[in-house]
Amino acid sequence: MFKKILFLLLTFINFGFITPFGLEVNDSINRGLQYLRLQQGQDGGWGRATGLAVLCFLEKRVSADSNAQISGYTNMSQEDQQIVINGIKYCINSIPGVSQNNAEAYDTSACLMAMSSYLSTGGPNLIGARMSVEGAINHSIETLRILQSRSDRLGFAYNVNNLHTDMSTTQFGMAGLYAAARINPLSINTLSLTRSFIAASRNNNGGSSYQPNGNITHAMSASGIWTLLLSGLSVEDLSVQQSLLWLRNNYSFDNSNRIGDGRSYFYYLWSSAKALEVSTGNTAGMIYGDQIGGILDPIALGYQGENSRWYFDFAYNLINIQNNDGSWCNSNYQCWNKISATSYSLLVLMRSLGGVCIGDEDLDEFCNIEDNCPSASNPDQSDIDGDGIGDICDNCFDIQNVDQQDIDNDGVGDVCDPLICTYTEEEDICDGIDQDCDGLIDEDFVVNENTIEYCSTGQLGICSYGILNCISGNITCVPYNAAAVESCNYFDDDCDGIIDEGTINQCGQCGGIQIDICDGVDQDCDGEVDNHLNACPEYMICYNGECRNMCDIECPQQGTFCDNELNICLYPCDSITCSRNETCINDNFGCVDLCENIICNDDLICWQGQCVQNTCEIVGCDDGSICYDNECVPDVCQSVVCDTSSFCRNGQCIPSCAFISCRHNETCYDGLCLEDNDCDDCEELCQMISCDISDTCINGQCIEIECDNITCPNGQTCIENPRGAQCVRIKLILDDPDQGTILQDMFLLDLVDRGLENIYNDKKDMYNSDQNQYSSSKVSCQSNKDFKSDLFIIFLVFITFICFYRRNEKFK
């Protein structure tokens, strides 16, 4: 009575640790049970496999946790209770040996397992059958004992009319009697007598055959282990160990390399599952069930948290070969009977022992296989965290930890241990363990005490580089900066790969837009030059980039005249257009050929009054042409219009790198982030290379200067590189409080603009100690005539700095 009441209480126990794989297995079980429901006959039976089918309903777990308690009769639905009662009634009324004489080893034993499980889990004793359930159990025990007494070497034959004794009928007969011990403890008294037959059927290598002196098969070898344990031998017994060794060495879970009848696969799985399930222990040097199998990798198959062992192998294969109607047995996995094959499969998935209770080590009236703490008595089976391990045995009873991991062996599970520590005399290293047991983990770990180790985080923008640090026991590249709100500062603050998005003005720069002044430049980027109303003082008008006096008749400046149409003072040359090799001189009131009367050597020509080489790099080209490879060629970009995200090169609109940020050790080329080509000795290589006048040396390569022929969008600048000229957006000038306005290495700019002045100060002296290697250039305002040449010099200096930096200060 106590056990029945306790079983009722199991309904309210936490349903345990449920995994995605457990849910798939549970779904497969439900489909299989539905198949059995539909196959039950009007008489309540499933033919000779009735006992096995009834067991499937009784042995189902209360949840998708494979360690949860079995449902038994009490915890199943009323509909299934009636299905089970009808099946038990069929066993009593129709199966030989249950209420009649002449037991059938298979049929009677299967029904005996079912009836014992049914009655011990709350099933009613009187169900309107030929006799009570308890009476049928005792009658089955007697008929099976009679069968055993007449069988060869006290094994179990088919029936009294066919005394063909074999390992298969023997394991069924023994299992039936062992299951009945839950109702009648005397039922197992003769099981030890079977050892003579079992031994005769075993080979010297541990494998077993169908009959003595027969061929070893997988199904009979698994049955051999099960019968040895049912006979009362321990797992550590030599005979059991030899058989476990054979099964381990010849392990099969998917019908491959399996010896025996091709129709015995499902029978073999349940025989193996029962044997391996109860083969537990912890004696050093012994073989146990959890050491067998584990061919499949749950993690690789997408099932985190599952153990790689025989159960996962069996269950994974079964749920993948199940038929659409919920049954098992097909052309690839054949069987003798689909009901029995389906029942064997379900009992494997349920981890069922067929009602057998082998051992109750702690005497709490729960079999070891069902007990959530078999080593300590806990009749209430309390499991607060629902991880399948009873609170009295759980090293962390209020947090699920199925693996019970306890690295420091202090009896407290790692998931709730405030101090995981295994003391050693060594300093902490980066491994997530507190070696010195001071409550701090990895606190002594330093990547490099003397230098900052830079590394690539794999992220973009300001998150792209970081330093090596110890995080959760692993050496990790930690970003120097976390992503921030995007601001206009020439950097990708939010680390999304786009620089300054939504923050720049129409000139492609940061800050406000300048007001147009009279200088021939479009300061406000509206497409018109010098168009501001206040570009010049009162009584003056902007003309050709200069403020000119307004006039009526005469002009105050010497050498000027009053243009009656424009009403401004002009110089004579303001209205004269000269040919390419002529110059307009105001004093002469016209164009003058400065090369007149000048004779040059044969390899030179006169240009603007001087003898020079006849190259377009010097003398230029006519309108509509550009100088390329020292020749004047048509300007194919003249009529090409590109948007602000691209620029024209060789007649094609090329994606610009102006707003693209890349990962560390990547550089943007034509809008794509590509891995850098390392150049450890680029400066030395360029010193040894002589390039043509139209080329420049970058990274040890002579590349053609293309920037002279490229016009970038507002706010962008052209730079040369080996893969083609690029339009980029670079902040070149930095105001340094100590050294004035200087040209700095872009890495230092990067650090300062991100607020990392401390690193900048550490590196500044090294970068600026040798002026011969690292130049600084004062920049001053000059006339519009010299602006382009000065800017070109700045670009060349910048490229030199980049090469020097990549040689001397590469990120680690």
Side-chain angles (χ1 to χ4, degrees):
M1 175 62 72
F2 168 76
K3 194 163 186 179
K4 291 182 179 179
I5 295 174
L6 182 60
F7 202 90
L8 286 170
L9 294 176
L10 293 178
T11 305
F12 305 100
I13 294 177
N14 190 299
F15 273 11
F17 188 73
I18 298 176
T19 64
F21 182 67
L23 291 172
E24 290 189 28
V25 170
N26 193 59
D27 177 68
S28 178
I29 290 172
N30 289 332
R31 291 170 56 214
L33 289 176
Q34 181 60 20
Y35 171 79
L36 292 180
R37 292 185 186 100
L38 297 175
Q39 298 302 313
Q40 188 176 30
Q42 293 293 324
D43 55 5
W46 289 269
R48 296 184 60 190
T50 295
L52 294 175
V54 172
L55 268 177
C56 292
F57 290 91
L58 292 166
E59 296 284 289
K60 186 181 186 299
R61 305 279 170 169
V62 296
S63 76
D65 175 15
S66 63
N67 290 309
Q69 299 293 335
I70 62 171
S71 296
Y73 176 84
T74 305
N75 288 318
M76 65 177 62
S77 67
Q78 290 184 353
E79 291 79 6
D80 282 348
Q81 286 180 340
Q82 190 59 54
I83 287 175
V84 168
I85 288 176
N86 292 339
I88 296 295
K89 187 183 296 186
Y90 179 89
C91 281
I92 296 174
N93 294 338
S94 303
I95 296 298
V98 177
S99 64
Q100 308 168 50
N101 295 326
N102 300 329
E104 291 281 349
Y106 287 117
D107 310 14
T108 306
S109 298
C111 280
L112 183 55
M113 292 183 233
M115 292 186 298
S116 300
S117 179
Y118 162 83
L119 198 60
S120 65
T121 58
N125 187 28
L126 300 176
I127 56 175
R130 182 175 296 176
M131 62 174 63
S132 69
V133 178
E134 186 174 1
I137 290 173
N138 288 324
H139 187 80
S140 299
I141 294 172
E142 289 303 315
T143 57
L144 284 172
R145 280 180 172 172
I146 294 173
L147 180 61
Q148 181 186 13
S149 67
R150 299 180 183 181
S151 300
D152 180 37
R153 306 188 193 190
L154 297 179
F156 286 82
Y158 274 85
N159 53 55
V160 293
N161 298 317
N162 181 3
L163 296 177
H164 177 89
T165 305
D166 60 59
M167 181 61 71
S168 180
T169 52
T170 296
Q171 75 116 337
F172 257 83
M174 295 179 71
L177 290 175
Y178 211 116
R182 305 175 75 172
I183 307 300
N184 183 349
L186 298 179
S187 64
I188 62 174
N189 288 351
T190 63
L191 295 188
S192 62
L193 302 177
T194 61
R195 293 175 191 166
S196 174
F197 175 79
I198 298 170
S201 301
R202 285 181 64 252
N203 189 281
N204 292 333
N205 64 6
S208 295
S209 57
Y210 186 60
Q211 289 182 310
N213 302 317
N215 295 323
I216 295 175
T217 69
H218 277 76
M220 295 303 102
S221 296
S223 298
I225 299 173
W226 181 232
T227 54
L228 286 171
L229 296 172
L230 292 177
S231 75
L233 295 181
S234 70
V235 179
E236 290 76 21
D237 183 87
L238 179 60
S239 297
V240 178
Q241 285 293 302
Q242 288 177 337
S243 297
L244 286 170
L245 178 62
W246 188 94
L247 203 61
R248 185 176 71 177
N249 292 341
N250 297 276
Y251 176 73
S252 174
F253 71 92
D254 60 356
N255 226 9
S256 61
N257 302 318
R258 190 175 63 83
I259 306 171
D261 193 311
R263 297 167 293 179
S264 66
Y265 173 72
F266 302 101
Y267 172 96
Y268 155 71
L269 280 191
W270 192 39
S271 299
S272 297
K274 291 183 293 184
L276 297 176
E277 191 73 64
V278 297
S279 296
T280 60
N282 54 15
T283 303
M286 294 292 173
I287 301 173
Y288 297 104
D290 59 3
Q291 301 169 11
I292 297 176
I295 301 298
L296 300 178
D297 182 357
I299 295 177
L301 293 171
Y303 298 103
Q304 301 287 337
E306 296 294 331
N307 292 323
S308 178
R309 65 189 192 104
W310 64 266
Y311 178 76
F312 182 83
D313 293 344
F314 285 13
Y316 180 82
N317 196 52
L318 283 175
I319 63 178
N320 281 282
I321 64 172
Q322 188 174 19
N323 298 324
N324 293 333
D325 63 358
S327 68
W328 278 269
C329 186
N330 52 49
S331 59
N332 293 322
Y333 290 87
Q334 299 178 9
C335 66
W336 293 293
N337 178 285
K338 184 172 284 192
I339 297 296
S340 60
T342 300
S343 298
Y344 291 142
S345 300
L346 288 172
L347 294 170
V348 170
L349 295 177
M350 296 173 183
R351 296 179 58 227
S352 168
L353 299 182
V356 170
C357 178
I358 294 185
D360 180 12
E361 181 181 342
D362 55 9
L363 303 178
D364 60 1
E365 297 194 22
F366 279 89
C367 302
N368 289 344
I369 184 62
E370 299 172 2
D371 197 340
N372 63 17
C373 182
S375 61
S377 179
N378 61 334
D380 62 357
Q381 295 286 285
S382 175
D383 181 15
I384 291 176
D385 58 10
D387 60 3
I389 301 170
D391 296 338
I392 194 172
C393 291
D394 198 338
N395 62 17
C396 186
F397 70 91
D398 56 351
I399 300 178
Q400 290 185 347
N401 61 330
V402 177
D403 59 9
Q404 295 286 286
Q405 180 171 296
D406 180 15
I407 291 177
D408 55 10
N409 296 314
D410 63 354
V412 181
D414 292 346
V415 295
C416 58
D417 194 342
L419 178 60
I420 300 175
C421 167
T422 303
Y423 183 78
T424 66
E425 296 182 356
E426 300 177 358
E427 291 185 350
D428 271 355
I429 60 175
C430 185
D431 60 358
I433 299 175
D434 181 15
Q435 276 89 0
D436 53 9
C437 296
D438 61 354
L440 302 174
I441 297 176
D442 302 338
E443 78 277 8
D444 297 328
F445 176 78
V446 178
V447 176
N448 192 318
E449 294 182 352
N450 301 317
T451 62
I452 297 175
E453 297 282 344
Y454 297 105
C455 56
S456 175
T457 65
Q459 301 181 44
L460 300 169
I462 67 170
C463 307
S464 64
Y465 65 83
I467 59 170
L468 296 176
N469 206 339
C470 183
I471 305 295
S472 300
N474 297 297
I475 299 177
T476 306
C477 186
V478 181
Y480 240 100
N481 293 282
V485 176
E486 193 75 14
S487 62
C488 196
N489 57 5
Y490 297 85
F491 295 105
D492 177 16
D493 301 290
D494 57 7
C495 306
D496 64 350
I498 305 175
I499 298 171
D500 292 348
E501 70 268 32
T503 65
I504 61 172
N505 58 37
Q506 67 187 37
C507 292
Q509 299 292 345
C510 298
I513 299 175
Q514 297 181 14
I515 297 175
D516 258 356
I517 61 174
C518 185
D519 60 356
V521 179
D522 180 15
Q523 274 90 1
D524 57 7
C525 305
D526 63 353
E528 298 183 28
V529 176
D530 303 340
N531 63 329
H532 194 270
L533 294 177
N534 298 320
C536 290
E538 191 176 6
Y539 303 116
M540 299 188 78
I541 295 177
C542 185
Y543 180 80
N544 285 349
E546 294 183 7
C547 290
R548 303 293 180 89
N549 288 318
M550 298 175 63
C551 63
D552 291 328
I553 299 175
E554 296 181 353
C555 292
Q557 299 98 328
Q558 185 177 357
T560 64
F561 67 94
C562 184
D563 186 299
N564 294 327
E565 293 182 3
L566 299 175
N567 293 324
I568 57 174
C569 295
L570 300 178
Y571 291 99
C573 287
D574 285 336
S575 58
I576 297 175
T577 301
C578 299
S579 62
R580 288 184 62 237
N581 201 22
E582 291 182 334
T583 299
C584 183
I585 299 177
N586 287 316
D587 293 343
N588 291 347
F589 294 94
C591 298
V592 175
D593 183 1
L594 298 180
C595 289
E596 188 176 1
N597 301 323
I598 295 178
I599 300 175
C600 298
N601 294 334
D602 292 341
D603 57 342
L604 302 176
I605 65 170
C606 181
W607 178 255
Q608 297 293 320
Q610 301 206 9
C611 291
V612 299
Q613 291 183 340
N614 187 14
T615 67
C616 59
E617 295 286 344
I618 297 176
V619 303
C621 297
D622 294 332
D623 290 340
S625 297
I626 58 174
C627 185
Y628 185 82
D629 199 16
N630 210 20
E631 291 184 6
C632 289
V633 297
D635 183 0
V636 293
C637 285
Q638 188 176 33
S639 59
V640 176
V641 179
C642 301
D643 59 30
T644 57
S645 65
S646 60
F647 65 95
C648 182
R649 186 176 67 209
N650 299 328
Q652 299 291 325
C653 287
I654 306 298
S656 170
C657 289
F659 300 99
I660 303 297
S661 71
C662 298
R663 297 172 180 83
H664 169 51
N665 291 334
E666 289 183 342
T667 301
C668 180
Y669 297 100
D670 293 351
L672 299 175
C673 290
L674 304 176
E675 186 175 352
D676 286 340
N677 293 321
D678 290 339
C679 182
D680 294 333
D681 53 355
C682 59
E683 184 178 6
E684 289 82 355
L685 289 173
C686 283
Q687 289 176 352
M688 296 183 293
I689 294 176
S690 177
C691 298
D692 294 339
I693 189 172
S694 60
D695 294 347
T696 185
C697 181
I698 297 179
N699 290 358
Q701 302 179 50
C702 288
I703 65 171
E704 188 167 2
I705 297 175
E706 296 180 324
C707 283
D708 287 346
N709 307 321
I710 290 178
T711 301
C712 294
N714 288 331
Q716 300 180 29
T717 303
C718 182
I719 63 170
E720 306 285 353
N721 66 62
R723 299 186 182 180
Q726 302 289 314
C727 284
V728 299
R729 190 166 158 268
I730 298 177
K731 184 176 182 181
L732 289 174
I733 305 302
L734 172 70
D735 290 330
D736 186 281
D738 297 328
Q739 303 184 40
T741 302
I742 61 173
L743 190 65
Q744 289 288 349
D745 183 279
M746 282 307 296
F747 174 59
L748 297 184
L749 278 175
D750 194 10
L751 296 177
V752 173
D753 279 8
R754 298 180 198 182
L756 303 177
E757 292 86 355
N758 57 326
I759 301 178
Y760 165 69
N761 291 330
D762 291 341
K763 298 289 184 180
K764 180 173 60 178
D765 292 339
M766 179 182 71
Y767 273 83
N768 295 305
S769 60
D770 189 346
Q771 294 299 319
N772 292 327
Q773 293 184 344
Y774 193 81
S775 303
S776 297
S777 298
K778 295 285 185 177
V779 179
S780 60
C781 296
Q782 300 181 21
S783 67
N784 291 330
K785 296 179 182 178
D786 299 326
F787 175 78
K788 289 186 178 179
S789 61
D790 286 350
L791 187 58
F792 179 72
I793 293 173
I794 291 174
F795 293 157
L796 293 181
V797 174
F798 168 71
I799 295 302
T800 303
F801 290 166
I802 293 299
C803 288
F804 177 80
Y805 161 69
R806 293 181 69 182
R807 179 176 68 89
N808 291 291
E809 192 60 24
K810 288 181 64 184
F811 285 169
K812 307 298 182 185

